[in-house]
Amino acid sequence: MHERLLDALAKRGALADPAAAEYLARSPDPVEALERVFAKLANMPLVLTMDDILRVQGALRPSAVVGIVPMPVAPAAIPVASVPQPRLRTVGRAKDVSEDFSVVRDITGKSTCQGTLGDFSRYFANRLEAIGKLLRVRRELVGATDIARARRLTREVRFIGMVADVRTTRKGDRILEVEDATETVPVFIAQGTDLFRDAVLPDEVIGVIGRPTEKGLIIAEQIIRPDVPGGRAFPATKEAVSVAFVSDIHVGSRTFLGEKWDAFTRWMNSDDVVAKSIKYLVCAGDVVDGIGVYPRQEEELAIDDVYAQYEELARLLAAMPDHANVIVLPGNHDAVRPAEPQPALPQNVQKLFDSNTKFVGNPCTFNLHGVRILAYHGRSMDDFVYSLPGMSYARPIDTMREMLRRRHLAPVYGGKTPIAPEAEDHLVIDEVPDVFVAGHVHAVGMDEYKGVKMINASAWQSQTAYQKMHNIEPVAGRVPIMNLGTGRGTIKEF
Ligand code: D5M
Ligand code: FE
Ligand code: ZN
């Protein structure tokens, strides 16, 4: 019976706290009892608690509660032997589980570029090779040739290349200049077609299937993206502890929402079963407001010394419970080079924080209990919103999906995102993550794309003068929380 209850919970990706699990297990038909509770709940909770069950019971007519045996007034009155011991997987307590964190990919300490011309060509060659490798395994691109050979063929051709330029003809059609190590070829996309609607970004690596014309142009029939292979299953861990995601704290700004942050800190220190399950707190960049990041920023600063801003952040993080390990990556407001990939914050900043805080680069791929997490601040969303029709600052998840389809965090070179031409393109998403988290746009979102959980962590800053000018309405003080045991998530509002 318990196995069935466990299955029923797992099917919904839900967990029950120990009291709720025991309560359900004692019903004559635990699965039916569970289904009744779920049917009556307005929102699926991350962790089903006794409170949820009691609330549902209160809302039900007495005749409708068949299947849920009321909690005995004195549980001890039931002989222990007759009570089936619940073997249900319940939500883990962070303090009972040892830390399991390891970095998979990070630029910190490995930067080699000096920005020479040679660096640039090596960087682009590496990008073409890394994403080309992902494209070559696509069924549609079997038999792909290089561009020099494709240009000499008269039948349908397939090739892989980088988009060196995107332009619109006088008639409104689109021409991509696609290049590989051998040659460059113009690829024609007729307006009004589905192909035309799926816009291509400069510097993307794509696969092309098309027909050559006599004028040396290729008429595109299909554009192939590396994309994410479907059917990924979440690698549910045995320790059902949680991760909370925050971003854009902007400590030091006058618009930092200290009261909301304090409410979050109080909740983190409370007896709430979800709060107690939070083993990791990921801070996805822009942890302080910085100085000199944009013109006349000093007028909007409450703390005008960047070191003092980090000191204040260290104080705020020290008030978090000991069971939560903090992972900090930098963003475009932080005190490291702005060019991506950004290394971790420097030692003189790190030393202000207690040993519970870890510093990683941006982007960074790390494992938590075997769940692979790709964390990226998200600066390139500015380029996506600017260059891709249909993208919006209010829906960051859409741009994150576009990054996954392209297997690249910041395809546009020379746009709003500064990119350092490292020997290896660290912005390529070469291994598909289980969880992809970003921030930057001061919005919030949670969704799934082909088995990858996408999370946009919101901000702790109210609308700035700049955002007001650009009509950007921030959504602040929302915390996406995900359970590593199930992959299920929820957003908690403060
Ligand atoms: O960015 C916070 C938000 O404001 C994010 O949605 C981008 C937008 N923003 C801020 N500065 C700029 C510039 N210069 N261009 C375009 N969009 C911008 P934050 O990184 O916190 O400043
Ligand atoms: Fe920000
Ligand atoms: Zn930012």
Side-chain angles (χ1 to χ4, degrees), residues 250-253 287-291 293-294 297 301 309 333 461:
H250 288 269
V251 171
S253 164
V287 291
V288 300
D289 206 52
I291 48 164
V293 179
Y294 57 88
Q297 185 187 14
L301 289 178
Q309 292 176 358
H333 281 251
Q461 186 183 35

Side-chain angles (χ1 to χ4, degrees), residues 248 286 332-333 377 440:
D248 297 84
D286 283 2
N332 50 304
H333 281 251
H377 175 60
H440 183 57

Side-chain angles (χ1 to χ4, degrees), residues 147-158:
I147 292 178
R149 189 166 144 72
R151 292 199 69 163
R152 293 196 302 272
L153 297 173
T154 50
R155 54 177 167 79
E156 185 186 79
V157 295
R158 287 150 205 262

Side-chain angles (χ1 to χ4, degrees), residues 248-250 285-286 288-289 293-295 297 331-333 377-379 381-383 385-386 393-394 416 439-443 459 461 464 466-467 470 472-474:
D248 297 84
I249 315 174
H250 288 269
D286 283 2
V288 300
D289 206 52
V293 179
Y294 57 88
Q297 185 187 14
N332 50 304
H333 281 251
H377 175 60
R379 178 91 189 253
M381 288 185 193
D382 295 336
D383 290 303
V385 171
Y386 181 78
Y393 277 123
K416 293 169 192 284
H440 183 57
V441 291
H442 300 203
Q461 186 183 35
T464 63
Y466 179 90
Q467 290 165 354
H470 288 78
I472 297 172
E473 286 287 347

Side-chain angles (χ1 to χ4, degrees), residues 2 5 17-26 83-90:
H2 287 149
L5 183 52
D17 77 1
E22 187 173 338
Y23 184 75
L24 288 168
R26 284 180 187 173
V83 178
Q85 287 308 302
R87 281 169 295 140
L88 294 171
R89 194 166 54 141
T90 54

Side-chain angles (χ1 to χ4, degrees), residues 185-201:
V185 70
V187 174
F188 179 88
I189 301 175
Q191 60 181 310
T193 58
D194 281 347
L195 261 192
F196 188 89
R197 276 182 283 279
D198 190 8
V200 175
L201 292 170

Side-chain angles (χ1 to χ4, degrees), residues 139-322:
R139 185 176 33 82
E140 300 93 321
L141 290 171
V142 170
T145 66
D146 60 39
I147 292 178
R149 189 166 144 72
R151 292 199 69 163
R152 293 196 302 272
L153 297 173
T154 50
R155 54 177 167 79
E156 185 186 79
V157 295
R158 287 150 205 262
F159 56 89
I160 291 162
M162 186 180 298
V163 179
D165 188 30
V166 184
R167 59 177 198 272
T168 307
T169 66
R170 251 180 296 133
K171 287 186 181 158
D173 301 308
R174 184 178 299 140
I175 292 184
L176 316 175
E177 290 292 337
V178 181
E179 121 186 337
D180 70 1
T182 64
E183 222 170 301
T184 303
V185 70
V187 174
F188 179 88
I189 301 175
Q191 60 181 310
T193 58
D194 281 347
L195 261 192
F196 188 89
R197 276 182 283 279
D198 190 8
V200 175
L201 292 170
D203 311 317
E204 257 195 69
V205 177
I206 54 172
V208 177
I209 302 178
R211 292 192 178 275
T213 67
E214 280 167 13
K215 288 183 191 153
L217 205 67
I218 309 278
I219 311 283
E221 286 168 357
Q222 277 187 69
I223 300 288
I224 312 291
R225 296 255 164 48
D227 217 319
V228 172
R232 282 179 67 80
F234 191 79
T237 62
K238 60 180 193 303
E239 296 102 351
V241 290
S242 311
V243 193
F245 298 92
V246 298
S247 188
D248 297 84
I249 315 174
H250 288 269
V251 171
S253 164
R254 283 187 204 279
T255 42
F256 165 59
L257 293 164
E259 279 175 23
K260 277 189 192 290
W261 183 269
D262 292 345
F264 172 47
T265 308
R266 276 196 301 279
W267 178 79
M268 283 289 285
N269 283 291
S270 74
D271 275 339
D272 184 284
V273 61
V274 176
K276 279 188 162 336
S277 78
I278 296 175
K279 181 80 189 159
Y280 305 94
L281 174 64
V282 175
C283 305
D286 283 2
V287 291
V288 300
D289 206 52
I291 48 164
V293 179
Y294 57 88
R296 300 175 56 183
Q297 185 187 14
E298 58 284 0
E299 293 166 20
E300 296 189 52
L301 289 178
I303 307 172
D304 62 5
D305 174 282
V306 73
Y307 200 72
Q309 292 176 358
Y310 283 110
E311 274 177 339
E312 174 62 7
L313 175 72
R315 199 185 62 76
L316 294 174
L317 291 178
M320 286 292 173
D322 288 342

